[in-house]
């Protein structure tokens, strides 16, 4: 295009162009004609009604319909049923709907949140996992729904599933839902940590090297507690220093080095523990953390080809060794061994086998034990 034609081209930024449009509009809409408003006839009303029904979704009604289908599926499916594509689609749609904060509350108002909670006990693992996902979406950063979940005993049963469910995908998703349900909601956090043996549940999941997804969820929530509830965490560690030993073991045996997120996350957790309280750091020293870290460092530094994971771990291990060796000597803290732990209700804690690793787990409350008729 020539410079001449460019100069002659009209510009939408020219105020005179908008003035011309205004003048044209006023010329043909000068207000001299009366408006032809009249009541809608029945045909127009029917068309408008049909249009809104077809084009505008009644979201509460849709959620009611979807959960009802899941309830029907629960009556039909068994533990050995193949994965159902319709269930997958329904769960995805419910997650999409309840991601809107008003809809998550509406799910409770139409009394279908209770139905979703009931699906946690389904014999079908696909429905249990889906129920966890929906609960996580409804409760995340939503205090009113967190309170509803607490009233429906969601916290204890999710904790139960995180330990005992036979399906590793469900155990991981239960931790995800648990995190959403309790995080930044003090009553639920207190229940989980002080009455539910919650810190030990998280450490157990963190040390289950066969379930990477569960480890990441456990890491996220454990770090949250160390940073926001240091006193609660300190009390747990002083009572049961074995939880520190379990975390240390995953570093020493190299269980984390194949996943950079887990490797870095575990070391971040140990650094956060060391920084959270001098007594907690002293427990780490008592549990022989320094020589264990030094042994691990020697093995890593001997690698001829150090990849990113190894370099990250070396740097963070050096930070930990430096922090712990700089501690002034303190008296050893008197701790109670795990074998003599007592339940919060006064009864002696009972050791039970979990599906996660098959090793003993201390159930400190009745709701942590496998009850008659439970699916997990």
């Amino acid at each position: 295009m020539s410079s001449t034609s460019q100069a002659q081209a009209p510009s939408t930024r020219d105020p005179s162009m908008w003035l011309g449009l205004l003048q044209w509009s006023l010329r043909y809409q000068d207000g001299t004609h009366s408006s032809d408003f009249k009541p809608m006839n029945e045909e127009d009303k029917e068309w408008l009604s049909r249009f809104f029904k077809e084009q505008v979704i009644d979201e509460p009604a849709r959620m009611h319909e979807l959960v009802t289908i899941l309830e029907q599926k629960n009556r039909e499916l068994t533990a050995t049923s193949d994965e159902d594509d319709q269930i997958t689609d329904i769960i995805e749609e419910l997650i999409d709907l309840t991601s809107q904060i008003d809809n998550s509350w509406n799910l409770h108002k139409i009394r279908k949140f209770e139905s979703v909670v009931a699906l946690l006990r389904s014999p079908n693992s696909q429905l249990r996992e889906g129920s966890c996902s929906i609960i996580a979406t409804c409760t995340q950063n939503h205090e009113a729904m967190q309170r509803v979940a607490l009233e429906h005993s969601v916290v204890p049963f999710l904790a139960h599933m995180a330990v005992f469910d036979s399906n590793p995908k469900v155990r991981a998703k239960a931790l995800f839902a648990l995190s959403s349900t309790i995080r930044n909601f003090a009553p639920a956090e207190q229940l989980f940590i002080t009455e539910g043996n919650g810190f030990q549940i998280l450490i157990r999941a963190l040390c289950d090297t066969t379930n990477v997804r569960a480890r990441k969820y456990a890491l996220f929530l454990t770090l949250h507690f160390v940073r926001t509830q240091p006193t609660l965490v300190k009390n747990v560690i002083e009572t049961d220093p074995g939880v520190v030993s379990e975390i240390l073991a995953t570093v020493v045996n190299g269980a984390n080095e194949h996943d950079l997120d887990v490797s870095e996350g575990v070391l971040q957790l140990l650094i956060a523990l060391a920084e959270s309280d001098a007594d907690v750091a002293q427990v780490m020293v008592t549990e022989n953390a320094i020589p264990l870290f030094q042994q691990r460092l020697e093995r890593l530094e001997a690698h001829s080809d150090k990849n990113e994971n190894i370099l990250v771990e070396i740097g963070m291990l050096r930070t930990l060794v430096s922090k712990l060796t700089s501690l002034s000597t303190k008296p050893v803290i008197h701790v109670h061994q795990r074998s003599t732990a007592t339940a919060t209700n006064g009864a002696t804690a009972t050791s039970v086998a979990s599906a996660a690793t098959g090793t003993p787990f201390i159930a400190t409350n009745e709701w942590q034990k496998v009850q008659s008729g439970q699916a997990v």
Side-chain angles (χ1 to χ4, degrees):
M1 184 179 291
S2 68
S3 59
T4 304
S5 60
Q6 286 179 339
Q8 294 174 345
S11 170
T12 56
R13 296 184 181 180
D14 184 353
S16 65
M17 298 295 294
W18 296 109
L19 179 60
L21 178 60
L22 175 62
Q23 290 172 343
W24 181 90
S25 300
L26 292 174
R27 186 180 306 121
Y28 291 97
Q29 298 290 335
D30 58 5
T32 58
H33 299 284
S34 59
S35 300
D36 188 20
F37 290 119
K38 58 183 178 181
M40 292 177 65
N41 58 39
E42 291 303 317
E43 183 180 354
D44 289 341
K45 288 181 181 178
E46 183 181 348
W47 177 88
L48 189 61
S49 176
R50 187 170 63 251
F51 171 82
F52 279 112
K53 285 182 179 178
E54 292 175 356
Q55 301 300 323
V56 180
I57 298 174
D58 183 342
E59 292 181 335
R62 179 60 177 163
M63 291 191 296
H64 191 285
E65 176 188 0
L66 293 172
V67 176
T68 300
I69 295 172
L70 291 181
E71 290 176 296
Q72 179 61 37
K73 290 284 186 180
N74 186 44
R75 290 189 285 270
E76 298 170 354
L77 299 178
T78 65
T80 57
S81 298
D82 294 333
E83 189 163 310
D84 189 314
D85 290 339
Q86 187 183 15
I87 290 177
T88 301
D89 292 341
I90 288 173
I91 289 168
E92 287 179 357
E93 186 174 353
L94 279 168
I95 290 171
D96 184 56
L97 287 167
T98 54
S99 63
Q100 301 175 46
I101 193 167
D102 290 339
N103 276 340
S104 59
W105 184 249
N106 285 336
L107 188 66
H108 164 60
K109 287 171 66 177
I110 62 174
R111 304 186 66 82
K112 282 300 181 181
F113 183 74
E114 299 172 24
S115 302
V116 172
V117 171
L119 292 176
L120 291 174
R121 299 175 183 271
S122 172
N124 182 268
S125 62
Q126 187 183 6
L127 286 171
R128 294 199 305 277
E129 184 183 1
S131 176
C132 288
S133 295
I134 296 165
I135 290 169
T137 306
C138 287
T139 57
Q140 191 169 35
N141 301 318
H142 193 330
E143 184 175 327
M145 284 303 297
Q146 288 176 316
R147 183 170 287 104
V148 169
L150 189 62
E151 291 169 355
H152 285 83
S153 301
V154 171
V155 173
F157 200 68
L158 285 174
H160 171 95
M161 293 173 70
V163 175
F164 294 109
D165 199 285
S166 58
N167 188 302
K169 291 171 65 178
V170 178
R171 290 201 301 275
K173 200 54 68 78
L175 281 168
F176 173 55
L178 190 60
S179 177
S180 294
T181 303
I182 69 176
R183 198 171 64 253
N184 298 320
F185 182 50
E189 289 187 344
Q190 285 282 128
L191 173 70
F192 180 64
I193 291 294
T194 61
E195 295 185 30
N197 208 15
F199 200 74
Q200 286 88 341
I201 289 174
L202 294 176
I203 300 307
R204 183 180 187 81
L206 175 59
C207 298
D208 180 7
T209 57
T210 65
N211 196 336
V212 175
R213 189 177 299 177
R215 297 188 78 194
K216 291 181 179 179
Y217 291 141
L219 260 174
F220 177 75
L221 190 53
T222 306
L223 269 168
H224 166 77
F225 279 121
V226 171
R227 289 167 175 163
T228 64
Q229 303 276 8
T231 303
L232 284 178
V233 172
K234 176 185 175 181
N235 291 340
V236 170
I237 290 174
E238 289 183 352
T239 302
D240 184 7
V243 298
V244 174
S245 296
E246 291 176 30
I247 304 172
L248 294 176
T250 70
V251 177
V252 175
N253 63 24
N256 309 323
E257 62 186 21
H258 300 297
D259 190 295
L260 181 58
D261 290 337
V262 173
S263 174
E264 188 172 345
V266 169
L267 291 171
Q268 282 179 344
L269 173 60
L270 288 167
I271 291 171
L273 283 169
E275 292 176 341
S276 66
D277 186 272
D279 288 340
V280 171
Q282 186 63 40
V283 170
M284 294 173 67
V285 173
T286 304
E287 294 292 312
N288 297 315
I290 295 174
L292 291 174
F293 291 152
Q294 289 172 332
Q295 291 171 20
R296 179 64 181 162
L297 265 171
E298 290 173 5
R299 287 200 296 272
L300 292 174
E301 289 172 339
H303 276 265
S304 58
D305 182 21
K306 297 180 179 66
N307 60 29
E308 182 183 6
N309 293 24
I310 291 176
L311 291 173
V312 167
E313 187 171 350
I314 286 174
M316 299 184 83
L317 281 169
R318 286 174 178 166
T319 299
L320 271 167
V321 170
S322 174
K323 286 183 179 297
L324 295 179
T325 53
S326 67
L327 286 174
S328 58
T329 305
K330 290 186 171 227
V332 177
I333 300 170
H334 176 70
V335 295
H336 304 283
Q337 296 301 315
R338 177 175 296 193
S339 59
T340 59
T342 54
T344 54
N345 60 9
T348 302
T350 304
S351 177
V352 294
S354 83
T357 61
T359 54
F361 170 76
I362 306 301
T364 57
N365 263 345
E366 287 299 317
W367 51 258
Q368 286 187 335
K369 301 176 186 178
V370 178
Q371 305 297 321
S372 176
Q374 283 181 350
V376 295

